[in-house]
Amino acid sequence: MHGNETHAGSPYAPHTDEDRAAMLEAVDAETVEELFDIPGAVRFDDEFGIDARTERETRRLVRSILGRNDDLTELLGRGHYGYYVPSLVDHLADRSEFLTSYTQYQPEVSQGFLQALFEYQSLLVELTGLEIANCSMYDAATALGEAATLADRVRDATGYRVLVPEADLLREERRSTLENYVAGTDLEVESYPTADGNVDLAALEDAVDEEVVMIYAENPTVRGTIEEHLAAIGDLADANDALFTLGSDPVALSLLERPADVGADVVVGDASVLGLPTSYGMGLGLFATREDYLRQVPGRLVGASEDATDRRAFTLTLQTREQHIRRERATSNICTNQAWVALRTAIHAAALGPTGMVELANRGVRRAETLAERVDDIVGVKAPVHDRHHLREFVARVDQPARAIADDLERRGFAVHVVGEHEIQLCVAGVPDERLDAFAEALEGVVR
Amino acid sequence: MHGNETHAGSPYAPHTDEDRAAMLEAVDAETVEELFDIPGAVRFDDEFGIDARTERETRRLVRSILGRNDDLTELLGRGHYGYYVPSLVDHLADRSEFLTSYTQYQPEVSQGFLQALFEYQSLLVELTGLEIANCSMYDAATALGEAATLADRVRDATGYRVLVPEADLLREERRSTLENYVAGTDLEVESYPTADGNVDLAALEDAVDEEVVMIYAENPTVRGTIEEHLAAIGDLADANDALFTLGSDPVALSLLERPADVGADVVVGDASVLGLPTSYGMGLGLFATREDYLRQVPGRLVGASEDATDRRAFTLTLQTREQHIRRERATSNICTNQAWVALRTAIHAAALGPTGMVELANRGVRRAETLAERVDDIVGVKAPVHDRHHLREFVARVDQPARAIADDLERRGFAVHVVGEHEIQLCVAGVPDERLDAFAEALEGVVR
Amino acid sequence: QYEPLLSEKDLTRVDIGDGGDGIAPDDAESVDSPLPDDLTRDSLELPELSEPELARHYTRLSQMIYGIDSGPYPLGSCTMKYNPKFTEDVAALPPASVHPDRSERSVQGTLEVMYRLQDYLGRIGGMDAVTLQPPAGAAGEFVGIRVAAAYHEHNGEGHRDEVIIPESAHGTNFASAALGGYDVVSLPSDEDGRVDLEALESALSENTAALMLTNPNTLGLFERDIDEIAEMVHDVGGLLYYDGANLNALLGRARPGDMGFDVMHYNVHKTFATPHGGGGPGAGPVGVVDELAPFLPAPRVREGDQRTKSGEPTYELFEPEHTIGKVHGFHGNWLVLVKAFAYIARLGDEGLADASAKAVLNANYLASRLEYDVPYEPFHHEFVASAGDQDAADVAKRMLDYGVHPPTTKWPEIVPEALMTEPTEVESKDTLDRLAAAFNAVAAEDSETLANAPERTTARRIDQTSAARNPRLSWQALEEDES
Amino acid sequence: QYEPLLSEKDLTRVDIGDGGDGIAPDDAESVDSPLPDDLTRDSLELPELSEPELARHYTRLSQMIYGIDSGPYPLGSCTMKYNPKFTEDVAALPPASVHPDRSERSVQGTLEVMYRLQDYLGRIGGMDAVTLQPPAGAAGEFVGIRVAAAYHEHNGEGHRDEVIIPESAHGTNFASAALGGYDVVSLPSDEDGRVDLEALESALSENTAALMLTNPNTLGLFERDIDEIAEMVHDVGGLLYYDGANLNALLGRARPGDMGFDVMHYNVHKTFATPHGGGGPGAGPVGVVDELAPFLPAPRVREGDQRTKSGEPTYELFEPEHTIGKVHGFHGNWLVLVKAFAYIARLGDEGLADASAKAVLNANYLASRLEYDVPYEPFHHEFVASAGDQDAADVAKRMLDYGVHPPTTKWPEIVPEALMTEPTEVESKDTLDRLAAAFNAVAAEDSETLANAPERTTARRIDQTSAARNPRLSWQALEEDES
C-alpha cells in the first residue's frame, strides 16, 4: 500500500511496503536513513513545523486565504494589462504534455513544443519587423536589463551611458531592475527629460553623445500616450552608434508604428498581455533584435533544421551562447525561462488572428477616449492630462487629493492608479463597458 | 476572414469568405440558402430572439445567474452524495480525447476509452461479486427500471408483480421512473412493508408469491440504515423464482455485504457517488448481473478480443442486443449513455484504491455515529431514530416542526432533508469535520 | 503502444475486519470496521496505485483515442461538432454543483438556467413547453412515447397501440416505441427516399398512436410533404413525433412546431455542441405543443409569482397536471444542460442560423468532391454515399489509415453499402478537401487492401466474432480465460 | 505525424487605415483605426484560424511531446517530479489573479500566501529571511551574488572581486557570477569527487566574495567537509552560497543554514514540484541569514501591526533597509509560487522528508540495477554513470527508442561520457525496473545502432549543425530560405 490520504509520507511517491523492502535489499541497506551520508554535526534532527493536509484541505486553505483579496474592478495598467484570456488558451496550454515537459534538450521527443515556440518567435518577428526573437525572457524589466548588456557587448565604440526616460515615463521597478543588471558592468543608467507624456526630443538630443550605448523609450508610454518621436529617436541612436531599445507589447505592436520602421535595434516588453491574466505581475519578457546581433542574443532560440530522413524538424539552436555551455562567457545567465507563458501568448494571439489583434488595439484607443471624455465631463476632473493620442489608458487630473479619491473608489469596488498628488491613471483594458459606466458614476459620486 | 468575436455567425465555423465562394461554386449554387430544400409553407422567416454574446459575456452571464444559488453546507444524501472528487479526476477526464470522442464504433482508434470502460466494468464486478456489468446506464432510477424489464424477459415462469419497499424506504422519484419503464409491459409495481428502517421480512414473506418477478431492496436504505435481511430476501426471491435486485453504490459496496453473497441477481444504483460532484442530481446508472442473463443485459458491454496481429484489444461486443441492430426487439432503447461519467468514476475509484475505498465507507459509519451522538445530546433532538447501524446518514426526530427547523438551518447556511413532520435527515458524506461541528452548534441554536 | 490493465500493474486485497480469527493474511492489508462482521464483506481486491502512476495510465489511454480535436469526425446522424472549450468552464463553476434535494429558494440560479434553456429550446423548435429531464435522445423519445400514451389514455383512446416509423429511422425510435408497449408499424420509403404517402395512408388507422419522423430524414432529404403528412396523421387522431437528431440542418430555416409536429426531442450533443464523452452523457429535452404540456414529466420550472427584493423574477418547480411522472431520478444530466445553455447563449439567432447554413454547405461541398456515388438528393447537412462494390465497413477501416474518422456505415439500408456522411459546420474547406482525398484514395483501392485495413492504428482490425463468442467482459474474466 | 506551421495553414494580411489611397487591396482585409496613419503600422500579416482549427493544431503539437505524465524523466539536477494536478486548480482560482499595482489593503490574501511561503522556505532551508521575487533559479543566483556584493560594499569591502565555483557546478553559477561582475575562480574536485580543500585553501583570499556550492554536489555526493569549508570561507571574510538545485536530496535531513551557508536559492520546480512548462516559468526564491536580510530585493512581505476586525493578522510590503532594489518588474512568477505553497502545505514535514528519503532510495536502487559503471559514491538523489566506450549523447538518443526519457548527458565532465541520472521519488519500483532495462538494453548495443538512434520518435536524429550554420528562427526566415 502506498502513501495515500490516510498515511504519512508523500502522496506522490508510489512505493509499497513490499517494494521498499525489496529495494533496500537490492542496495544492501537496512533502512533508507543509512543511504544518507551526512555528518552528525550538520544533521537536522528537528522539525519544520509544517502540518500535512489532504488535497481537499489544502485547496480549502488556499481558497480561504486568497478569499481575503477584495473583489475589485481594476482600471489598472501601467505596463501590465488584464485582457480577457479565451478559455481555449487554458485548455490547450494545460495539456500535461506542454505543462510537464522539460526544456527541449531532446528535440526528437519535443517537436510539438519546439514548433509552438518557433511560431511564437515568428509572431514577434512579424510584430516587430526585426529578424530575431528569442523564445522568452522573464518579463519586461529583465528583458530591458538584458538589452543593456547586449548593447554593452555589441556596440562598436566604447561608452557607458544608458539613457532611459525620467521617472514619469518609466516604472521605477524597471529602472531598478535595469540597474541591477548593469551593476556588474561599467554601464551607468541616466535619465533624459520628457515633455507632456512623450520624450522631450530636444532635451534628448542634448543629452546624447558618443558615450551613449543605448537609448530606451516606450510606446505607448506608461502614461498611456502614444510616443510621437520614435523615428527621431531611432535616428539619434543611429547617429551616435547607440542601440535604440523600444519597450512595447503585442497588442500595441499590432497597431502602432512597426519598430523596424522607426529604427529600433531591440524590442523588449511584456508579451503576456496576451495569454496570462494579471497574475500579480507575472510576465513574459519579449525580446527581439536585429539579425546582426544573432550570436549575442540572450536566451533560447528555436530553429528549423532537418532530421535524419530530411524532414523538417525543430531544435534549440545556437546554444553555445548559453550558460550551460559557455558558462561565465555566456550571453546571459538565463536558464529556466517563461516557455509555457510564451505558448499561452502564441495561442491567444492565434485565437485573435491579425484582425482580432488590430481590433483589440483599436478598441483600446476608442474606449480610452470614450472614458476620458466621460470623466472629463465630471466637475473636478480633467482628462486626459496629455493632449496626445492614447492607447488603453490615460492620466486624469483631479482637484481633490488623488490618494483620497483612490481610497474612496476602492471602497466602491474600483482600483485605480495614483500617479501624482492630483493625478490618477485609468486603464480600460479588460474592463467591460458596463463596469466603465459604473466606474464613471462612482467617480462622480466620489468627487462630488 | 472567419467569424470571430466581432462578426455575426458561428464562431466555430471556420469559413473564410474566399472559401465560401469557392465552395458555392463547386456545388453550383449562388447562395447557401439555395441548398435548403424547404417548401415555403413551412419555412421559418422569423427570429428566435436570442442575442449572441462574446465568450466572455456568456461566461459572465452564466456565472451571474448561477451566483443566485445560495452557498450552503449540504448535509444532504438520500441516494445522492457529495464526496470530494480528487483534482486528478477532472484533469484526466477533461483530456479532450476522452471528452470529445464518440461511442467506440471504430475500436481500432478508440482503444484507450474501451480499456477504461473495461476497467470500470471490472471494478463493478469486484464490488458486486456478479459476473457482468455494463458500461453505464443513465442513473439509479433508470437502472432500476431496466432491471424490471430484464426480470420480465428472463424469468422462467409468468408473473407480473414487482415488489419494492414502501415510500419511507424508496425515493418517490425512483418508483415513478420504474413505473414509467414498466408502463409498456404487463408488470405492476407493488409496495411491501418496512419496519424500523429495514425491510419487514415477515411482511415481505407474506407478500411474495409465484406471480412476483422481482424483489427490490436497497443497502444502505435511503434513511441511511444498513439492511440486515439481505440474505433472507435473496432466499425468498430464489424460492419464488423471482429476481432479487439490490440498490447500492460503489462506496457502500466497498464495505457492506457483497451482493453475490446474499443472492442478488441484479445490482443497480448510482455509481457517480465516486467521480462526480452533486451536479444537481446528474448520475451514473450502475448495472451488474449474473452471467446467465448476459444476452438480456441492457446497455453497452466492452469485451476483450484480439486484433489481426493477435494482440489483446478491446471492443464493444454483443451489440446484437442493442437498438441500432435489433430495433424494437432490443434489450433496451438506450443509445447515448454515461460513458464519460463511468470514466470519472473509474479514475476516482483508482485514486482511492481498495484501502481508500474501504476507509471512505468506514468513515461514513464512524462520522455518522459521531454526529448522531452529538445531536442526540441536544434537548429536543433524538438521533438516530432507527436503532440500527448507519452509513453516512441517519434520521433524527425533532420536537419542533421539521420544516421550520430546516428553514432556520438554511438561513444559517445549512441544508438538511425534511423526511417527516418531526423528522430531519442528516448526511455526513463530503462535509468536513469542522462544518459538522458548526452544524451541530447551529442546530442547537435553532431548537433552543 | 500497449498499456497494461490497471489490474496488471497491481492488485491489492484488503481484508475487512479480522475475518474471525484475528490474523490478517500475509499478502493482504487488513482494515478494521466499526460494523459487525455479518454486515460487511470479507475483502476487496482492486489496484492500489499512486497518483503519478494513474496520471500516466489515463494519459496514455487518452492518447489511444481519436476525438473531435484529432480531426474530422463525419459520422452521419451523430453530428460530431467541435465542443467549445469555454462551456467546460461554465459547467465547472462551483455553484453549478448543488444537491438535487435543495430547497427551490436556495437554488434560484440553477432554476433560472433551466427556465431560460426551456425557453430557448421552445423558440428554436417552435414548441410551447419543454422538459429538460430526459438524460439522452433515446430517453427523450421514450418520454415522447409516454406522453403520447398518456394523452390518448386521457382522451379515452387507450386502444391506440401502433406507432408508425419509417424503415430508415434511427434504431432508437423502434426500441423506444417498443419499450412504451407499442407495436411498431414499419413504413417503406418511396423511390425518392422520402415517406411514401400511399404506404403511410394504408398504415394509418384508428389504432395509430403516433408517427415518428426525422426531418431531414436519414438520407439528408427534407420531407417536402410534411404538411400533408401532418394532416394525414392528425386526421386519424394520431400525434406527430419529431426525432431531433437532424435538427442541425434546419436552425433558423424551419421549426418542427411549424411543420405540424406535436412532440419532439432535442439532442443537445448533436445540435448544441456538448461533448459526447465517448458515449455520453447527453441530454434529450422534449418539447410539446400546448395540448400535450400537462403530460410532461415532473417537475418542470416556471416563473414564480414573487420577485426578489431587487426585482428579479423567482423560479419554482411544478408538477404538470397530468404528468407521466419521472423518467430520471432527479433533473437529468444537468451539467450537460448548462453547456448547451452556454452554447446557445453564445451563438444567438445569427450564430445558430449560420451553423446550419455552413453545415449544409459543407455537406454539399464534400459530396461534390467525392468519387463515390450519392444516389439521393437534394440533401442538407448529411448525405449517404454508396461504396458500390466495396464493403462499406472495410472502407471505414481503411479511412482510419489516412488519419481521418470514417462516416457511419451500412445504414440506412436503402443505399447499398452506405457511407452516411455529416461533416458539420466546424470543418474548413481545407479539412474537407483532405477528407475527400481520403475517401477518394480508398475508393481507388482494391478489396484486399481494404480487408486488411487498418494498418496504421493503435490496434489492427479487431476480431468481433471472438469477442462475442467468448465474452470476456472484465479483467477477472480475462484472467480466468487466460489461466 | 507531421503538423504544418500555423502560417502554412493561413496567412492573412490586415491593412490598417486606408494606406492613403482609400482602396484596400484585394487580397487583404482592411481595418480602419482611430489613430492617424503616421502613428500606425501599415499592415499585420498573421494566421487567421478558427477555434476548432487551433484546438487541433495545439492538441496535435502536444501529442509530439514527452512530459512527466508520459513516463520517467530522470534528468540529473533537473529533478523532474510529478506535478500534482490540484496545484493547477489553486493557481487558477480567480482571486489568485490580481493586478500588481493593487493597494496592499486590497490583496491581503495574496500577501498572506507570500508571507507563509517565505516562512515555509525559511524553515526548510534554515534561513532567516526569504525573498520570493527571483523568477527562476538563475535569477536567484544573481540575487545572491548581488546581495553578497551589496553586503561587502556596505562593509567597505568592495574590493572583493572573485567568486569561487567548483568545476562541476551548474553553468548558471558561472554565468550569474559573471553577470554580477565577478571574476570566476574555478575549483577542481578531489579524487573522491568533492571539493578539494587544498585547492580551496589556495583559491581563497581577501578578494573572495563568495564560494558557490551545491550540496549534494552534481555527482550526488554530500560535501562531508562542509563545516570546514564554511569556516575557511568565513575566515577570509567570504560568503557561502548554496545552489538549491539539489535540495530534494536533503529535505528534513539537513539544512543549508545549519551547514553554514549564508545565502541560498530554492528551485521550486525542482524541489516543490511545480511544472517546468517546457522550459519555464520557474521561481528561485532566495533565503539569507539575518546579516544579509537588509540587502534583499524590495519589496518583501511582513506582518503588519494591525489586526483585522476578526482578529486575523494583516500583511504589508516593506523595503529592506539596504535593498539591492528590484530584479523583476513586479513580484516574480506569482502563479508558480502559489503552486509551490500548495505543494508544501499538502506534504508537510513528513511528506517532504519522505520525498527525500524515496528520492535517495530510488537513485540508489536504480544505480544498483545498471550495467553502466557508477564511479562516485555514496550518492544521494542522483548519480553519474559512465557510458564508457559509448557516446553518452548517443545513449540518450537510443533510450528514446525504448519509450523512456534519457538522463542528462556529458556532464559533469569529471565522469567520462556522463549519464547524470535522477529518478526522483515519484517513480515506482516497476518503473525503475523498466528504466533500468532500457539503460541495459542500450548498454549492450553497438555504436552504429546508437548513432542511428532514435528510430521510433516523431522526428529522427536532428541535424544540429545545419540548424546553427543556417539559422532559420521564424517562419519568415524559413520561407525565405525555401524560396
Side-chain angles (χ1 to χ4, degrees), chain A residues 37 48 50 68 74 305, chain D residues 102 112 224 253 349 463:
Chain A
D37 178 38
F48 301 145
I50 303 172
R68 294 184 65 184
E74 299 175 334
S305 184
Chain D
R102 284 262 218 123
E112 182 170 345
R224 297 185 55 85
R253 303 287 177 322
D349 280 54
D463 187 342

Side-chain angles (χ1 to χ4, degrees), chain C residues 194-230:
Chain C
R194 298 192 180 78
V195 168
D196 182 328
L197 293 188
E198 282 180 32
L200 176 61
E201 185 64 54
S202 53
L204 287 167
S205 76
E206 57 178 11
N207 292 326
T208 301
L211 167 64
M212 297 179 85
L213 215 57
T214 182
N215 194 13
N217 65 24
T218 53
L219 293 168
L221 309 180
F222 194 87
E223 297 286 355
R224 297 187 54 87
D225 301 321
I226 187 62
D227 259 3
E228 197 174 341
I229 293 169

Side-chain angles (χ1 to χ4, degrees), chain B residues 42 54 92 99 124 127 157 171 182 245 301 320 334 340 360 364 397 423 428 430:
Chain B
V42 295
T54 64
L92 294 175
L99 197 60
L124 296 189
L127 286 171
R171 286 193 71 110
V182 303
T245 295
L301 297 170
T320 51
I334 195 168
W340 184 73
L360 186 61
R397 186 174 314 279
E423 284 184 341
V428 301

Side-chain angles (χ1 to χ4, degrees), chain B residues 362-381:
Chain B
N362 268 336
R363 278 196 286 150
V365 176
R366 285 193 207 102
R367 297 174 75 236
E369 191 179 335
T370 304
L371 181 65
E373 281 170 7
R374 173 78 201 273
V375 302
D376 192 51
D377 282 346
I378 300 173
V379 178
V381 181

